[in-house]
Every structure is written in structure tokens, then in C-alpha cells.
């Protein structure tokens, strides 16, 4: 058994598509699946969840954050997008994220000057929501975090972290999980394990 993630590029968003899998072994033998149909998702903004801090060294849930990056070539409006955990959601306020830049989605009580946690990089866009991210803050044992298009909760997901890393140990306080590369799929292997030092607004730290 294995997982395979293949990016589809150059295909029109929202269109039906047909997929045929062709597998070749080392001896050159080939096998081909019957055709399967899928509906490609509609176009979503080029935003990626790049870091999640669920277990800050400072107060919880006030010092938690979700970092997102604009990987597109132009400015993006974040207003109306939904940040979801497993049981609730926050609607993002109006804010504009420049091309290539990072933003931190944080509780309204977040203190960027907290002496116990790594401070955000100067100039990083701060996007405050409620006093808790999602329904009741992010679980340290691992909880899904989704960035979704505006609406009622059934719209397409833009990017997600599946809660694949447990950060509940005392040694993990102040450490976060990072997406290894911006272009990686929403898959467990795309995220750092174990957690690393938090880098809010700074990008992924070296191994």
C-alpha cells in the first residue's frame, strides 16, 4: 500500500476531468486502470498554511497562531475567508497580504511582545480574530486547521494542516509545526516532525 500525490497543473478550474493510472514496474511491465472521472475544484487564491503553533510557551490560547503565505504574484484580500478547527470557525477581517508575504492569524489577545515566545518578524501582517482560534483554541494533541473560501463551511478548502503532529509534551512548548515547502501537498509527510522552534513570519527553519 502507498500514497501518491500528483499536482495537476494547467487544467482549467471547475472542469470535469478523466484520470487513467498507468503503472510500470522495473521490468517494464505495465498495467492501466479503467478511467475515473473527477470534478476539478474551483479556483482558489494562492494561499498556503505554512506554520501552526498550538502549544505556545506563553498563555494558551492567546499566544497560538496560524501562519499563512501568499505564494502568488499579486496582493490578496483575506477578508471573509474562514479559519476552521475541528469544531468551529473564524471569519477573517479585511486585510491585504502582499505577494510572497506571510500573515499571522491570531487571537485578539495575542501579544507580539511576549517574552516567552519568539516574536513575529517585524512588518508581518497580524490578522486578529476572536479570543480563541476556531471554536476553543487549537488542541496540543493535534487538530485539523483549514483555510476555507468564504461562505457557510461547505466551500472549497484552500489549504489545510491535518493535526498530524502531537505537540503536547512539555519539551514542545513554544515549538510549532512547519510546512516543509510551500508547494507541498496537504499530507502528513509535508510537515515537520518533531516540532521545531517557532518562526512567526520568518519562513521555515533549516533542518
Amino acid at each position: 500500500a502507498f500514497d501518491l500525490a500528483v499536482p495537476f497543473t494547467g487544467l482549467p478550474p471547475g472542469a470535469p476531468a478523466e484520470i487513467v493510472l498507468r503503472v510500470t514496474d522495473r521490468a517494464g511491465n505495465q498495467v492501466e486502470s479503467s478511467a475515473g472521472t473527477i470534478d476539478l475544484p474551483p479556483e482558489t487564491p494562492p494561499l498556503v498554511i505554512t506554520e501552526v503553533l498550538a502549544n505556545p510557551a506563553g498563555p494558551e490560547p492567546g499566544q497560538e497562531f496560524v501562519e499563512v503565505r501568499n505564494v502568488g504574484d499579486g496582493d490578496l484580500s483575506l477578508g471573509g475567508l474562514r479559519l476552521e478547527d475541528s469544531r468551529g470557525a473564524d471569519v477573517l477581517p479585511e486585510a491585504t497580504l502582499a505577494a510572497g508575504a506571510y500573515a499571522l492569524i491570531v487571537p485578539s489577545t495575542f501579544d507580539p511582545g511576549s517574552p516567552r515566545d519568539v516574536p513575529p518578524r517585524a512588518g508581518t501582517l497580524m490578522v486578529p480574530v476572536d479570543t480563541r482560534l476556531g471554536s476553543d483554541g487549537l488542541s496540543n494533541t493535534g487538530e485539523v486547521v483549514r483555510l476555507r473560501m468564504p461562505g457557510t463551511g461547505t466551500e472549497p478548502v484552500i489549504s489545510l494542516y491535518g493535526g498530524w503532529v502531537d505537540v503536547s509534551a512539555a519539551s514542545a512548548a513554544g515549538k510549532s509545526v512547519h510546512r516543509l515547502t510551500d508547494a507541498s501537498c496537504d499530507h502528513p509527510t509535508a510537515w515537520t516532525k518533531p516540532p521545531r522552534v517557532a518562526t512567526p513570519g520568518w519562513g521555515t527553519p533549516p533542518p
Side-chain angles (χ1 to χ4, degrees), residues 125-162:
L125 177 65
M126 311 297 289
V127 185
V129 288
D130 200 352
T131 55
R132 298 169 181 262
L133 296 178
S135 64
D136 54 359
L138 305 179
S139 171
N140 293 348
T141 57
E143 183 175 21
V144 65
V145 178
R146 300 183 188 91
L147 186 64
R148 191 186 292 273
M149 293 291 285
T152 60
T154 58
E155 290 70 26
V157 172
I158 301 168
S159 181
L160 71 83
Y161 162 65

Side-chain angles (χ1 to χ4, degrees), residues 43-140:
E43 187 172 11
T44 57
L47 288 167
V48 180
I49 295 176
T50 48
E51 184 177 352
V52 177
L53 178 66
N55 184 10
E60 289 190 67
Q63 292 303 112
E64 297 175 352
F65 69 75
V66 174
E67 179 191 80
V68 298
R69 188 180 190 190
N70 176 358
V71 295
D73 298 326
D75 294 352
L76 290 175
S77 173
L78 304 182
L81 299 180
R82 292 168 56 92
L83 181 76
E84 302 175 344
D85 66 1
S86 61
R87 295 191 295 176
D90 292 299
V91 177
L92 303 191
E94 289 296 334
T96 300
L97 182 59
Y102 294 92
L104 296 182
I105 304 172
V106 296
S108 58
T109 55
F110 182 83
D111 178 10
S114 171
R116 299 182 61 188
D117 288 292
V118 177
R121 184 178 184 178
T124 300
L125 177 65
M126 311 297 289
V127 185
V129 288
D130 200 352
T131 55
R132 298 169 181 262
L133 296 178
S135 64
D136 54 359
L138 305 179
S139 171
N140 293 348

